[in-house]
Amino acid sequence: MGKNGGNEDHFLNKIRLMNGAIFTLLLLASMIWMSPLFSLGVAMGGLIVLINFHLLYRILKKAFIPDRLASPKSVIIKYYLRLLGTGLILYLLIAKKMVDPLGLVLGLSVVVINLTLVGCNEMRKILFKEAG
């Protein structure tokens, strides 16, 4: 693996670690200050989004293996099956009132929060590098 591959793996590992840290912080805060139903929503939303993030990574990584490129059709089918499964799980959690919807949304926001923070941090590095 080349230099960029190592950097990409390091960056992805950093994102995964931060996803876990943000999920843990949100879950602990909700367990301290919010209801058990809200906390369950944060937990379920966080687990759903983290599992989805991992599955998407695996699908895309397998799709771009040199000498064994996956067909676009199979990638799209796997993507939509993952999306359908996620939709069904979310529907059941909300329809059966198993979780607080706002807690669920907060949990589902883990990756978005993390990517926003990482993006702002990378922008800061670039701006201060140019200024310095």
Side-chain angles (χ1 to χ4, degrees):
M1 189 174 288
K3 183 180 175 189
N4 283 345
N7 287 341
E8 290 168 4
D9 287 341
H10 174 72
F11 190 69
L12 183 61
N13 286 335
K14 179 180 173 181
I15 288 176
R16 284 183 176 161
L17 182 65
M18 290 301 297
N19 279 342
I22 290 170
F23 171 60
T24 302
L25 286 173
L26 289 175
L27 184 56
L28 287 175
S30 73
M31 291 171 75
I32 292 169
W33 289 296
M34 303 301 285
S35 71
L37 198 63
F38 187 92
S39 297
L40 184 59
V42 172
M44 294 305 294
L47 289 174
I48 289 167
V49 77
L50 292 176
I51 291 168
N52 263 301
F53 187 78
H54 178 73
L55 291 176
L56 182 60
Y57 166 76
R58 285 186 47 200
I59 290 168
L60 293 176
K61 186 170 182 158
K62 287 180 183 179
F64 294 108
I65 294 174
D67 302 329
R68 292 192 331 180
L69 290 177
S71 73
K73 191 176 188 177
S74 71
V75 172
I76 291 170
I77 289 171
K78 289 177 186 175
Y79 177 84
Y80 280 111
L81 285 174
R82 184 180 57 83
L83 189 62
L84 178 66
T86 301
L88 287 172
I89 291 169
L90 292 174
Y91 171 77
L92 289 173
L93 288 173
I94 294 169
K96 301 287 183 184
K97 298 183 181 177
M98 299 168 69
V99 298
D100 183 291
L102 293 178
L104 185 64
V105 169
L106 183 61
L108 290 169
S109 301
V110 166
V111 173
V112 173
I113 293 167
N114 184 30
L115 293 178
T116 300
L117 292 174
V118 168
C120 290
N121 189 43
E122 292 300 313
M123 180 75 79
R124 181 191 57 82
K125 287 180 186 177
I126 291 169
L127 292 175
F128 284 116
K129 183 179 176 182
E130 290 176 1

